[in-house]
Amino acid sequence: MKILVTIKRVVDYNVRVRVKPDGSGVETEGVKMSINPFDEIALEEALRIKERGEAEEVIVTSIGGNEVQQQLRTGLAMGADRAIQVETDQPVQPLTAARILLKLVEKEQPGIVFLGKQAIDDDCNQTGQMLAALWGRPQATFASKVELADGKATVTREVDAGLEVNEVDLPAVMTSDLRLNEPRFVKLPDIMKAKRKPLETLALADLGAEPAADLVATAYEPPPKRGGGKLVASVAELIGELKNKGLL
Amino acid sequence: MAKVLIIGEHDGHNLNPATAKTVQGASGLHIDDVDVVLFGSDLDAVAAQAAAVAGVQRVLTVTHDDFAHPLAARIAPEIAAMAGDYSHILTGSTTLGKDLLPRAAALIGVNQVSDIMEVLDARTFKRPIYAGNAIVTVQVPEGAPVVGTIRTASFAAAGEGGSAEIVAAEARAEDPGHTRFVRVEGGGGDGPDLASADIVISGGRALGSSDNFAVIHSLAKKMGAAVGASRAAVDAGYVPNELQVGQTGKIIAPDLYFAIGISGAIQHLTGIKDAGTIVAINKDAEAPIFEIADFGLVGDLFEIVPELEKAL
Ligand SMILES: Cc1cc2nc3c(=O)[nH]c(=O)nc-3n(C[C@H](O)[C@H](O)[C@H](O)COP(=O)(O)OP(=O)(O)OC[C@H]3O[C@@H](n4cnc5c(N)ncnc54)[C@H](O)[C@@H]3O)c2cc1C
Ligand SMILES: Nc1ncnc2c1ncn2[C@@H]1O[C@H](COP(=O)(O)O)[C@@H](O)[C@H]1O
């Protein structure tokens, strides 16, 4: 079985993102970029499945310009066997991404496609569900535990009510939640080794995926600021303030 | 044709408050024709509750054993089959909404507008990106229905007093047979629901253990509050996952929020920006939580919290 893992290049989660003064977008110039944290978790899970002998090959893929090769190389250094870049200089929204991924799925025939539950730049939380719909296969989203047996996966999912367990037939789409695992650190020798692993680049046009109509962003603004706070010196003062506001 | 379809959420007994908030969010569209559709195996009780939400014209009940537990793979094709009659298809951005609606959107062939926080007009919306560090205004292209999730923390629940007509509808799709519900393990708990509580008391990594977390539970009980937590506290196993507040946990808007032993990472703050009043208790006067807290108290939580509980 092959596992296909998607990797999005995003602004590192430690960066405090700012809106450009002219409201035309967010500042990404000179900012640290990383693998979307959820995708790193998805990749870690795929690697563990392979290390347990339940998969033969882990392929990482990213849709984007040549800069995404950096994140693909990191994925290879973590332990993926090969990488596929789908090259485009335009950012893709979830439905287009899902249509592109479907073409890769038809080509590679993976048993699992593992995505992050959401990209921390657009915070859409859509692509995995959309791919599963187009593929006509199960989706196990927000996974915090994955067990495989007999062509099926038992997946524990983080939901509002607690933990929900679903059983899905493979092939299936899964999306990772935070507590699925803790991704490994990449070691220097692995980075060297990763340079020799195959990284294939496919032109978006050659895949034949039809782009969807995009949502049009017309303005960006910083979030409304909360009014400045006040330090209180004691529990009594705190209670007084809360009573004043009618909260107690 | 301007007509809104809202997918109602329920547990078989109670309508989830997210549904009335979605109805409220949809009111900004200024479209009078609003249907709520419910999928379930026994819908009498929840249909009556949905019919009482002000602003709802019709409640469509699709009753089938397949819907005893909502599964996206089973329900998304139902929504896609109904889509032709509607200009807008909305649900709350709960975990069910987030799981289900993108699957339906893909079948309909549109991108989804996730986490709508403001409705500017029938096709223009504001939504948060980058963990709430930026707000983007997006326009949905013409020619297809608007499919979106409503960020429930941004809207109050629509009032009661509605008297919608309840109409039974037939399931139109088949069970694809590849996805099965096994069980749900809920913390449940006795206190109020975190997503809709008026007061929430959250503890962070500083609590140090699930035993120590008792000081938070105890204060919450005294105040009739729901308990929440930072990711660090959940990861460390002090409390179950459904109590996580933040970008990837629950986004909440209580009247009063206590962040106790929580540093105030941006991913946590995203979840509480809409709270009425934020109180922070932290021993580090430089902790970023104090930048957004309305009232801050610097000190050791293990002294302050019991003192607070006693003084109430
Ligand atoms: C993709 C992604 C998503 C995330 N999503 C979320 C999310 O949804 N929600 C979330 O919360 N986090 C989330 N995080 C994690 C977030 O970045 C922080 O790591 C986390 O919020 C820190 O939790 P904390 O404040 O409890 O712990 P810490 O940052 O360790 O803070 C502990 C605080 O307790 C104080 N303290 C210690 N002892 C005491 C004492 N005795 N009395 C009083 N104060 C004391 C310390 O001064 C410190 O400020 C996410 C991270 C990533 C990468
Ligand atoms: N351009 C992309 N390249 C690779 N993976 C992507 C891309 N866009 C989205 N994804 C995957 O889809 C997941 C969900 O993204 P989103 O629906 O945008 O929140 C991400 O965590 C990625 O795994």
Side-chain angles (χ1 to χ4, degrees):
Chain A
M1 180 176 79
K2 293 182 195 174
I3 304 180
L4 181 66
V5 179
T6 55
I7 286 187
K8 190 174 187 190
R9 174 185 163 97
V10 298
V11 172
D12 187 85
Y13 78 94
N14 278 312
V15 173
R16 201 169 194 125
V17 170
R18 278 173 219 291
V19 174
K20 288 182 187 163
D22 65 359
S24 64
V26 300
E27 210 63 79
T28 52
E29 202 76 14
V31 157
K32 184 179 177 206
M33 304 296 286
S34 301
I35 298 183
N36 182 41
F38 289 99
D39 300 349
E40 210 179 347
I41 294 169
L43 174 55
E44 175 65 33
E45 196 64 16
L47 295 173
R48 290 185 191 186
I49 291 169
K50 184 185 162 194
E51 285 157 5
R52 289 202 300 264
E54 294 168 350
E56 283 79 51
E57 192 183 27
V58 174
I59 309 164
V60 285
T61 187
S62 188
I63 307 164
N66 287 341
E67 62 282 357
V68 304
Q69 291 184 9
Q70 261 175 29
Q71 279 64 41
L72 288 173
R73 287 286 171 206
T74 307
L76 292 170
M78 276 178 73
D81 299 290
R82 60 188 169 95
I84 304 172
Q85 174 198 2
V86 178
E87 197 196 347
T88 164
D89 52 6
Q90 292 302 314
V92 291
Q93 292 186 10
L95 185 55
T96 302
R99 288 179 179 174
I100 293 168
L101 293 173
L102 181 67
K103 294 292 178 190
L104 287 186
V105 163
E106 287 165 355
K107 200 160 163 269
E108 297 287 347
Q109 304 281 323
I112 299 173
V113 183
F114 228 127
L115 305 87
K117 84 163 175 183
Q118 80 195 58
I120 62 161
D121 50 4
D122 64 22
D123 282 332
C124 276
N125 196 333
Q126 300 178 26
T127 310
Q129 297 87 314
M130 289 182 154
L131 172 62
L134 302 178
W135 192 14
R137 294 305 307 167
Q139 67 188 46
T141 52
F142 325 148
S144 68
K145 188 174 174 196
V146 175
E147 291 166 302
L148 304 179
D150 310 323
K152 292 193 273 273
T154 304
V155 181
T156 305
R157 308 177 48 237
E158 296 208 4
V159 297
D160 289 339
L163 296 171
E164 179 176 303
V165 181
N166 287 351
E167 185 187 78
V168 298
D169 297 339
L170 300 183
V173 173
M174 299 181 191
T175 76
S176 59
D177 216 317
L178 289 173
R179 277 169 284 278
L180 183 58
N181 59 52
E182 257 192 65
R184 66 197 62 190
F185 286 104
V186 174
K187 295 189 279 300
L188 196 61
D190 298 329
I191 297 175
M192 303 311 289
K193 249 198 296 187
K195 291 197 172 129
R196 294 191 299 272
K197 289 185 179 176
L199 192 162
E200 180 187 2
T201 295
L202 302 175
L204 177 57
D206 293 346
L207 277 177
E210 196 195 323
D214 279 347
L215 306 181
V216 182
T218 56
Y220 295 81
E221 62 195 286
K225 273 223 159 37
R226 287 188 70 98
K230 167 176 180 185
L231 283 185
V232 292
S234 67
V235 165
E237 193 185 340
L238 175 63
I239 290 177
E241 292 282 5
L242 295 179
K243 280 197 171 138
N244 256 343
K245 288 188 98 178
L247 289 163
L248 289 181
Chain B
M1 156 217 45
K3 193 170 175 185
V4 182
L5 179 67
I6 290 170
I7 301 141
E9 186 168 345
H10 63 92
D11 61 3
H13 309 284
N14 292 303
L15 192 67
N16 190 305
T19 300
K21 292 182 180 183
T22 305
V23 172
Q24 182 65 31
S27 68
L29 298 166
H30 302 292
I31 296 172
D32 290 334
D33 211 349
V34 177
D35 290 358
V36 169
V37 63
L38 298 169
F39 298 92
S41 53
D42 175 3
L43 290 167
D44 292 349
V46 280
Q49 293 166 33
V53 176
V56 178
Q57 262 61 54
R58 234 166 281 98
V59 176
L60 309 175
T61 55
V62 190
T63 308
H64 197 291
D65 286 344
D66 285 1
F67 304 133
H69 299 283
L71 288 170
R74 175 69 185 87
I75 297 177
E78 300 285 346
I79 297 164
M82 304 172 76
D85 297 334
Y86 295 93
S87 58
H88 293 76
I89 301 174
L90 303 172
T91 195
S93 54
T94 58
T95 49
L96 177 63
K98 290 174 183 173
D99 185 43
L100 170 62
L101 206 62
R103 190 165 179 127
L107 297 176
I108 298 165
V110 297
N111 277 299
Q112 169 183 294
V113 188
S114 297
D115 303 315
I116 293 169
M117 57 189 293
E118 199 180 324
V119 178
L120 298 180
D121 65 44
R123 302 192 86 83
T124 314
F125 307 92
K126 286 192 185 183
R127 60 174 301 264
I129 54 175
Y130 290 95
N133 278 315
I135 310 295
V136 64
T137 301
V138 292
Q139 246 167 15
V140 183
E142 298 288 339
V146 173
V147 176
T149 57
I150 295 282
R151 184 177 181 275
T152 48
S154 300
F155 300 93
E160 289 185 18
S163 53
E165 176 191 3
I166 299 175
V167 184
E170 292 290 319
R172 302 197 205 176
E174 301 271 303
D175 182 0
H178 52 46
T179 306
R180 291 163 292 276
F181 173 87
V182 180
R183 63 176 182 275
V184 61
E185 301 158 7
D190 14 78
D193 176 43
L194 172 59
S196 51
D198 295 334
I199 307 178
V200 173
I201 304 191
S202 284
R205 193 197 311 270
L207 272 300
S209 71
S210 54
D211 286 348
N212 288 348
F213 221 90
V215 298
I216 302 288
H217 291 294
S218 176
L219 178 63
K221 197 160 178 200
K222 178 100 180 231
M223 298 187 73
V227 172
S230 69
R231 173 188 170 187
V234 176
D235 283 1
Y238 306 161
V239 288
N241 65 282
E242 65 268 24
L243 299 193
Q244 181 175 315
V245 172
Q247 179 191 18
T248 51
K250 291 200 167 97
I251 313 262
I252 56 174
D255 298 332
L256 180 56
Y257 185 79
F258 283 80
I260 301 179
I262 291 177
S263 60
I266 183 73
Q267 294 89 1
H268 187 79
L269 302 186
T270 304
I272 59 171
K273 280 197 174 134
D274 298 288
T277 297
I278 297 176
V279 175
I281 299 171
N282 196 303
K283 70 174 184 192
D284 174 9
E286 304 294 314
I289 188 75
F290 289 123
E291 288 164 30
I292 71 145
D294 299 282
F295 301 111
L297 188 48
V298 178
D300 185 346
L301 77 92
F302 293 107
E303 289 165 18
I304 293 172
V305 175
E307 189 188 332
L308 177 61
E309 188 183 332
K310 217 184 291 161
L312 285 171

